[in-house]
Amino acid sequence: MIGLGNMGTPMALNLLAAFPHSLSVTARSRDRAAAVLSAGASWVDTPADVAEASDVVVLMVPDLPQVDELLFGDRGMAETPATCVVVVCSSVSPTGIRATDDRLRQQTEGRMRIVDAPVSGGTEGAAAGTLSIMVGGTEADVNIALPLLSACGTPVHLGPLGSGDIAKACNQLIVAATMAAISEASVIAERSGLDLDALLTLLQGGYAGSRVLETKKDRLVERDYSPTGAARYMVKDLSFAHAAAVETATAAPILDALRGQFDGLVAAGLGDDDLAVIHRYIRDPEQPR
């Protein structure tokens, strides 16, 4: 596995729990891998070494440029004669992942193939092993990856390569819309003198309840925007949803409005905070960080 951040580390620990002493990792420093090394992972020095040691390589990095660097950069995976399935759990462009797969198959004469498997459930789901995992790829390659993905949550094969990332774009549209709606409602309630904690607790028991409200309620009440995942990543995810809407000739006015909100949030210097920071942005959009 490569990509031992807030999501990757708990996923790696779940892999080790299911498959002890079977995980090879690399990172920019050993310190970043300390938790998984202590749990029984093996350290290797380069992405090429990971490929040589593995039948399946899981990547959890920010976006496609980082995936391409790991595959095709200096001491990248494609330099080796290894045969493996590369599972990209990052949220990336569906068309981009298909192009990367074509290049990888050509450079490795088909020895390496990609499965896209973006996840939803946040750091809480990653730690608990309850992620929703949206999978795209050939049936043969997905069948190789499924036992490992099952250690991290519930994987569902949705179609050919790129299907997972289309599903993740749809997921992010719903998450962004829900977070924005909760935040708007919270600002209205606060300015109307309501007890926000009491209100959101009440709403969670009705039709307005959601997983987003459950996990973000306390952050809104306490105005805690410390990051579990950076809000700026929503900009790229919504851009993938926009591309899919254009490709399918789908009018998406809610998506368009959300893109404007999150672009503005990032321009205001709030992009490195938690997704809940849209609450602050709605409350005072003219106040930069």
Side-chain angles (χ1 to χ4, degrees):
M1 186 167 187
I2 306 176
L4 300 174
N6 290 337
M7 293 292 292
T9 291
M11 289 174 66
L13 292 173
N14 284 322
L15 286 170
L16 281 165
F19 305 96
H21 307 294
S22 63
L23 185 68
S24 298
V25 299
T26 195
R28 292 180 180 175
S29 70
R30 280 181 176 264
D31 289 344
R32 193 165 182 83
V36 295
L37 293 175
S38 296
S42 301
W43 173 266
V44 294
D45 290 326
T46 69
D49 295 327
V50 172
E52 290 173 351
S54 307
D55 298 312
V56 179
V57 178
V58 180
L59 305 182
M60 179 54 92
V61 294
D63 202 352
L64 202 54
Q66 291 79 24
V67 172
D68 285 349
E69 178 63 24
L70 293 171
L71 296 175
F72 308 117
D74 183 43
R75 291 298 292 156
M77 293 168 56
E79 290 186 4
T80 75
T83 297
C84 62
V85 172
V86 181
V87 181
V88 179
C89 290
S90 318
S91 299
V92 302
S93 161
T95 54
I97 199 66
R98 295 185 195 114
T100 293
D101 180 63
D102 287 342
R103 180 182 175 188
L104 183 63
R105 287 174 183 264
Q106 290 175 7
Q107 289 195 205
T108 65
E109 298 179 334
R111 294 188 310 277
M112 295 185 189
R113 297 91 58 201
I114 290 176
V115 166
D116 65 318
V119 304
S120 181
T123 54
E124 302 93 346
T130 58
L131 294 169
S132 294
I133 307 175
M134 297 153 267
V135 186
T138 67
E139 185 173 357
D141 292 338
V142 168
N143 285 341
I144 293 171
L146 281 179
L148 284 82
L149 293 174
S150 295
C152 299
T154 303
V156 176
H157 186 195
L158 296 169
L161 186 67
S163 298
D165 282 302
I166 291 173
K168 180 59 184 289
C170 293
N171 178 88
Q172 294 301 83
L173 168 56
I174 295 169
V175 170
T178 305
M179 190 71 248
I182 294 168
S183 296
E184 285 188 16
S186 296
V187 173
I188 292 170
E190 288 173 306
R191 290 177 176 173
S192 300
L194 275 65
D195 182 319
L196 185 59
D197 191 3
L199 173 66
L200 295 182
T201 300
L202 179 65
L203 295 182
Q204 182 61 19
Y207 277 170
S210 68
R211 179 65 175 155
V212 175
L213 178 53
E214 178 186 349
T215 58
K216 301 299 184 182
K217 179 181 81 72
D218 290 343
R219 287 179 171 273
L220 297 180
V221 171
E222 297 167 11
R223 300 188 179 184
D224 173 13
Y225 311 126
S226 57
T228 58
R232 59 186 166 83
Y233 291 135
M234 189 60 77
V235 171
K236 74 177 178 69
D237 292 341
L238 293 177
S239 74
F240 301 150
H242 174 73
V246 170
E247 186 175 354
T248 57
T250 303
I254 293 173
L255 172 58
D256 292 341
L258 289 167
R259 293 184 73 204
Q261 277 194 310
F262 279 92
D263 285 346
L265 181 155
V266 171
L270 302 174
D272 288 329
D273 287 316
D274 189 81
L275 185 64
V277 79
I278 192 170
H279 175 245
R280 171 179 168 175
Y281 181 68
I282 290 168
R283 195 173 65 246
D284 193 358
E286 303 302 323
Q287 179 63 44
R289 183 171 181 80

